[in-house]
Amino acid sequence: MISNNEKRIFQGKADEYIEYLQQSLVQPLWAYDDITVRHICTSIFKNDAIVRLKVTNPLGENLFEENKQGYTELMERTGSVTREGRLLGTIEMALTPRRYQEMTRYLFSASLLTILAALTVVVGVTHMILKSFLGRPLQYLLERIDRIANGYYGYDPKTYKQVEIESIISKFNEMAMKIEARENSLAALNVRLRAEILEREAFRAGTAGGAPASL
């Protein structure tokens, strides 16, 4: 099937073929030059879109007639060749949109392949850029996470040119320092609690040792 837009374009091309023959055949038909008529018709009939062409004189006699077999969905056009109001001949033409459709599909496929190739290049270049600019910083962040998970919370002075990466690293350092401060606070609290427990146990033991024996 041919779309409405394609049909409109193809109809315009068909009209151009008819107009070309109407103008080209005026002089040879006026001069009864059948050889030139056949030469012009043979030349235009080589066009892939034209599958049937017939030219007759005012008496209905064939001056040219050719057909190409095996085509459907034909678009037919007719026209008259005149000069000074006198009918010199009649043109009957049938065209097929098959070749036009094949060319349209080819151009579409070529355009699609071009777009896919361009996208592939863009993706490849983007991947290289991301790997170049973000590969090492991301690897560093993963290593930093591992160190924090293993209990190393020390401030890391390493910096990067990328503002976004530098901001993330700064946040990681702040988080690590806060975790370290909390752990130190918990450790100190545990030491105080242990000292209080030992002090109470010692007090209880001293109190128990100095009590009078029961009668």
Side-chain angles (χ1 to χ4, degrees), residues 1-26:
M1 292 295 294
I2 184 171
S3 67
N4 291 332
N5 184 53
E6 291 175 333
K7 185 177 181 180
R8 184 172 60 256
I9 296 174
F10 194 68
Q11 285 174 342
K13 295 296 293 182
D15 293 337
E16 289 179 8
Y17 291 136
I18 285 291
E19 291 174 2
Y20 169 79
L21 281 177
Q22 286 175 318
Q23 296 173 7
S24 301
L25 294 177
V26 170

Side-chain angles (χ1 to χ4, degrees), residues 207-215:
T207 302
S214 59
L215 299 176

Side-chain angles (χ1 to χ4, degrees), residues 27-44:
Q27 185 58 38
L29 287 175
W30 179 264
Y32 299 99
D33 186 354
D34 295 349
I35 295 176
T36 302
V37 170
R38 286 194 296 271
H39 177 75
I40 294 173
C41 293
T42 299
S43 177
I44 195 172

Side-chain angles (χ1 to χ4, degrees), residues 17-209:
Y17 291 136
I18 285 291
E19 291 174 2
Y20 169 79
L21 281 177
Q22 286 175 318
Q23 296 173 7
S24 301
L25 294 177
V26 170
Q27 185 58 38
L29 287 175
W30 179 264
Y32 299 99
D33 186 354
D34 295 349
I35 295 176
T36 302
V37 170
R38 286 194 296 271
H39 177 75
I40 294 173
C41 293
T42 299
S43 177
I44 195 172
F45 189 70
K46 293 179 180 179
N47 192 295
D48 293 333
I50 302 175
V51 296
R52 186 170 70 246
L53 179 61
K54 181 179 179 180
V55 178
T56 59
N57 61 22
L59 300 176
E61 298 172 343
N62 286 348
L63 301 178
F64 181 89
E65 183 174 12
E66 289 288 346
N67 291 276
K68 297 174 185 175
Q69 304 298 323
Y71 292 90
T72 58
E73 298 184 18
L74 300 181
M75 183 180 296
E76 297 184 352
R77 285 288 185 274
T78 59
S80 299
V81 182
T82 60
R83 181 175 179 177
E84 299 177 358
R86 176 183 171 185
L87 178 64
L88 302 178
T90 302
I91 304 169
E92 297 178 14
M93 181 186 295
L95 302 95
T96 176
R98 181 186 299 178
R99 182 60 179 169
Y100 178 80
Q101 290 175 310
E102 291 174 353
M103 182 59 67
T104 301
R105 285 194 292 267
Y106 170 78
L107 292 175
F108 175 78
S109 300
S111 300
L112 183 60
L113 289 175
T114 302
I115 293 173
L116 290 176
L119 286 176
T120 301
V121 172
V122 170
V123 171
V125 172
T126 302
H127 174 72
M128 293 176 61
I129 293 175
L130 291 177
K131 185 176 180 180
S132 175
F133 284 90
L134 298 180
R136 291 183 179 178
L138 290 177
Q139 181 64 32
Y140 165 76
L141 290 177
L142 292 175
E143 293 174 355
R144 189 79 171 97
I145 292 172
D146 290 338
R147 290 200 299 271
I148 292 175
N150 292 328
Y152 176 76
Y153 307 111
Y155 179 82
D156 194 333
K158 194 170 185 178
T159 61
Y160 282 91
K161 295 180 179 179
Q162 294 93 332
V163 176
E164 295 80 4
I165 297 297
E166 182 63 27
S167 176
I168 295 174
I169 292 175
S170 177
K171 295 297 182 182
F172 265 99
N173 284 328
E174 291 179 8
M175 179 184 68
M177 294 174 65
K178 289 179 180 180
I179 294 175
E180 183 178 24
R182 290 174 184 174
E183 287 205 353
N184 291 338
S185 177
L186 289 174
L189 179 60
N190 287 334
V191 170
R192 288 197 301 272
L193 290 175
R194 183 176 295 276
E196 290 179 4
I197 291 172
L198 291 175
E199 184 179 347
R200 290 176 182 178
E201 288 179 350
F203 176 77
R204 290 175 181 174
T207 302

